[in-house]
């Protein structure tokens, strides 16, 4: 059974940090590009970051310099290190796996085949 499980979300003050993890079971992540998405209430799901099988990384403009995506194939896990968090980063964060190359359209949810259940990130004082 193919499954992605996110963890690491929580409540953090503005300026704080969190590290999200996306662990896979039932398949090996090293053959897939992995994306992180987020969805705030009343808003569409948006791409935050993605990493290809060759470790090429992409970021949404508003998180560049603050978020870092990485993958540890030995642990079958992808991480999203989030620093200098802002209230506007508050959302449910999802990881997803793409079975096919997405070219430059890494931010499109429709290009991803497997999704996790999401983890809540709340940035508030």
């Amino acid at each position: 059974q193919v499954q992605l499980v996110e963890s690491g979300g929580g409540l953090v003050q503005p300026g704080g940090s969190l590290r999200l993890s996306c662990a896979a079971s039932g398949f090996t992540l090293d053959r897939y590009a992995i994306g992180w998405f987020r969805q705030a209430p009343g808003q569409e799901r948006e791409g935050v970051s993605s990493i290809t099988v060759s470790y090429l990384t992409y970021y949404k403009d508003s998180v560049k310099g603050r978020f870092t995506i990485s993958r540890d194939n030995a642990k079958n896990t992808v991480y999203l290190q989030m620093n200098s968090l802002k209230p506007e980063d508050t959302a449910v964060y999802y990881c997803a796996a793409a079975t096919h190359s997405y070219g430059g359209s890494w931010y499109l949810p429709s290009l991803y085949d497997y999704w996790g259940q999401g983890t809540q990130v709340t940035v508030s004082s």
Side-chain angles (χ1 to χ4, degrees), residues 96-120:
T99 58
H100 301 287
S101 175
Y102 46 52
S105 300
W106 65 270
Y107 50 89
L108 294 177
S110 59
L111 297 183
Y112 293 78
D113 304 284
Y114 304 117
W115 289 82
Q117 82 292 344
T119 185
Q120 177 70 47

Side-chain angles (χ1 to χ4, degrees), residues 11-32:
L11 173 64
V12 64
Q13 292 186 343
S17 298
L18 286 173
R19 188 178 79 158
L20 305 183
S21 298
C22 173
S25 62
F27 69 108
T28 53
L29 283 180
D30 60 357
R31 299 181 180 183
Y32 300 86

